[in-house]
Structure formats: C-alpha cells, structure tokens
C-alpha cells in the first residue's frame, strides 16, 4: 500500500495553516478579561446603589428589588475577578492541565448570589402583598432613575457580549446574560410603576415577583452553561474534527474522538488510522501533521493527543 510521505503531509499541513482572526484569542486574554470586569464592576455598582438608595427612600419595593438584582451583577464581577486571576496561573505539578476551570467555577458561583437575591426579592414582595408594608406614592423621579439605569445596563450588555466573544470568556458571557435579565426586570418595574401611578399600587409588588422570575431564569442559564464545561461535555463536533483530520494526506481514518474544556481552552484526543506498513518515525511525523492541521483550524485547542494505529482488518 502506497502513502504520501510524512514530510509532504507536514508541509501540506503548514501550507493550509491560515489563521482565522475571529477565532484567535489574544495572548494576554486574562489581563483583558480582568480589565473588562473591572470597568463593568464600577458601572454595576453605580446602577445598584442608585436603585437601592432610591428604593429605600421612595418605598418602591419593585425598584428596591431590582436594585438587589443589580447588586448581584457587581458581586459576580468580584467573583469573576478572583476566578480569572486564579485561572491565569500557568500549569503546575498539581494542575498539569492548568487552572482554566477556575474561571468556570467563578461563573458557576454567580448562581449562588442570584438565588440568595431571589429569596430576598420574594420576601419583600410577600410583605407588601400581605399588607405588612404600606405602599407609597410613585414619583416622576422613579422613572428617571429606572430609565437611566436601563440605558447603562444596555451599554454593559453590548460591551461584555462583544468582549466575551472576542476573548472566549464564559465569565463575561454569564455576566452579560445576567445583566440582560436585569434589563428585562427593569422594564417590568417601569411598567409596574406606571400602573401604580395610575392607581394600581398592587402592580409594584407584583412586578417584584416578575423580577424574581427573571433572576431565577438567569440563574438557570448560567448553571446550565457552566455545568456543561465542568462535566466535560463535548466542545467541538466529532464530525467537524474528523473532516479536518481526513484532509491530511496519508491518513486512512480516525475514531474515538473526545473533546472537553471551555470554548477557548479545549483538550482533544483521538485515534488515527495510518498504513500498517508505515515506519514508526513517519507515523510519528504524520501524527504531528494531523495535530498542526487541527490547531490551525481550531486555535482554541490547548493540547491534542494523537494516538496512531493501523486500520481495522476487514471482516
């Protein structure tokens, strides 16, 4: 059985290594994620404090609840900063695969803050619905505070979503998702304030219940995304990887493809079938050509282990 030489395959692999700018992750990724989180932290603190202070002073339970919701954005930023700093440490003797999952753990921790805030929002809403807290008049200033904070949140969502895609960061994506829920809950609060001003004060605590629903939904989304990473769910489709492998001259086939990790930090291992009469040194070189082709197509692959074996015998 004839085959293409290993060197020809390697040269072919190098020739096809065309960088994809959209999938390239900056070398100083962790520093950039920290910079984004720090900037967003300042904005989130401002939004949360404005809502909480005005909520307490005006007695608008929906604004106060929304302020607590916004406060979790700031809390998640702090958790994210700690997690990203830990994730940026290089591999060591105890963590040969690196510390990347600390960022995922930090994103998962956001769900705890969300659940605690949801309970606080439900408690406040129940107190108003049961008559333990008397409703107050809704002023025009309530609308100004809510509209301004919604505008700030929209800027945060746009900024974090853009940077999350560019940097491949689930912490930034989780925070953007959380802030998106904050915007919808704020819009609900604005609608409830309008109704309360028109003579339906019960809409204020009812809006707080809707806010609790948004918080719970955001918590579920973040938990679902982070659990997929921590449970080693498939990151890149087996079929897509097989197509790339089969473009390397000399490879007969591949199987047992496995990927795990996060979107920007993937570990891969697979078996490739090479001609049974190929010399070990050529087979070794060809496996490197396969690895080069894969990392060229998917720069997010942190490491790939290629197992070489002869093709299965025909039955």
């Amino acid at each position: 059985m004839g085959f293409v030489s290993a060197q020809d395959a390697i040269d072919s692999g190098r020739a096809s290594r065309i960088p994809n700018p959209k999938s390239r992750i900056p070398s100083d990724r962790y520093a950039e994620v920290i910079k984004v989180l720090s900037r967003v932290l300042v904005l989130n603190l401002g939004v949360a404090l404005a809502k909480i202070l005005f909520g307490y002073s005006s007695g608008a339970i929906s604004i106060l609840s929304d302020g607590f919701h916004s406060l979790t954005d700031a809390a998640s930023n702090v958790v994210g900063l700690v997690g990203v700093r830990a994730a940026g440490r290089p591999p060591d003797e105890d963590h040969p695969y690196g510390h990347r999952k600390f960022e995922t753990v930090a994103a998962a921790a956001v769900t705890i803050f969300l659940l605690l805030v949801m309970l606080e929002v439900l408690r406040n809403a129940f107190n108003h619905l049961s008559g333990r807290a008397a409703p107050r008049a809704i002023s025009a200033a309530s609308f100004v505070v809510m509209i301004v904070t919604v505008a700030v949140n929209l800027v945060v969502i746009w900024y974090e979503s853009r940077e999350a895609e560019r940097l491949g960061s689930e912490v930034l994506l989780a925070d953007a998702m959380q802030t998106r829920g904050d915007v919808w809950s704020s819009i609900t609060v604005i609608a409830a304030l309008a109704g309360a001003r028109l003579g339906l004060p019960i809409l204020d605590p009812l809006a707080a219940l809707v806010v609790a629903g948004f918080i719970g939904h955001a918590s579920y989304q973040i938990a679902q995304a982070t659990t997929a990473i921590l449970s080693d769910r498939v990151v890149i489709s087996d079929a897509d990887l097989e197509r790339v492998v089969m473009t390397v001259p000399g490879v007969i086939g591949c199987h047992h493809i496995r990927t795990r990790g996060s979107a920007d930090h993937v570990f891969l291992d697979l078996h490739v079938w090479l001609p049974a009469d190929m010399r070990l040194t050529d087979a070794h070189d060809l496996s490197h050509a396969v690895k080069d082709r894969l990392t060229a197509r998917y720069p997010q692959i942190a490491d790939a282990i290629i197992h070489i074996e002869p093709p299965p015998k025909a039955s």
Side-chain angles (χ1 to χ4, degrees), residues 66-124:
D66 204 35
F68 283 126
H69 185 191
S70 298
L71 191 60
T72 63
D73 294 341
S76 67
N77 293 152
V78 174
V79 173
L81 286 168
V82 174
V84 171
R85 287 187 183 278
R89 292 161 54 194
D92 54 32
E93 195 172 319
D94 293 328
H95 300 84
Y97 290 99
H99 299 78
R100 177 63 181 78
K101 281 191 175 180
F102 276 101
E103 182 174 340
T104 308
V105 172
V110 173
T111 60
I112 299 176
F113 288 103
L114 287 171
L115 292 174
L116 291 175
V117 170
M118 183 176 67
L119 292 175
E120 177 63 17
V121 170
L122 290 173
R123 186 186 68 81
N124 287 331

Side-chain angles (χ1 to χ4, degrees), residues 25-79:
I25 304 297
S27 57
D28 57 346
R29 172 188 179 278
Y30 293 108
E32 294 202 33
V33 172
I34 289 173
K35 186 188 299 181
V36 173
L37 285 173
S38 299
R39 291 170 176 171
V40 172
L41 172 61
V42 175
L43 293 174
N44 284 336
L45 281 174
V47 167
L49 290 176
K51 291 179 182 178
I52 291 174
L53 292 176
F54 191 84
Y56 274 121
S57 62
S58 65
I61 184 60
S62 56
I63 296 180
L64 180 61
S65 300
D66 204 35
F68 283 126
H69 185 191
S70 298
L71 191 60
T72 63
D73 294 341
S76 67
N77 293 152
V78 174
V79 173

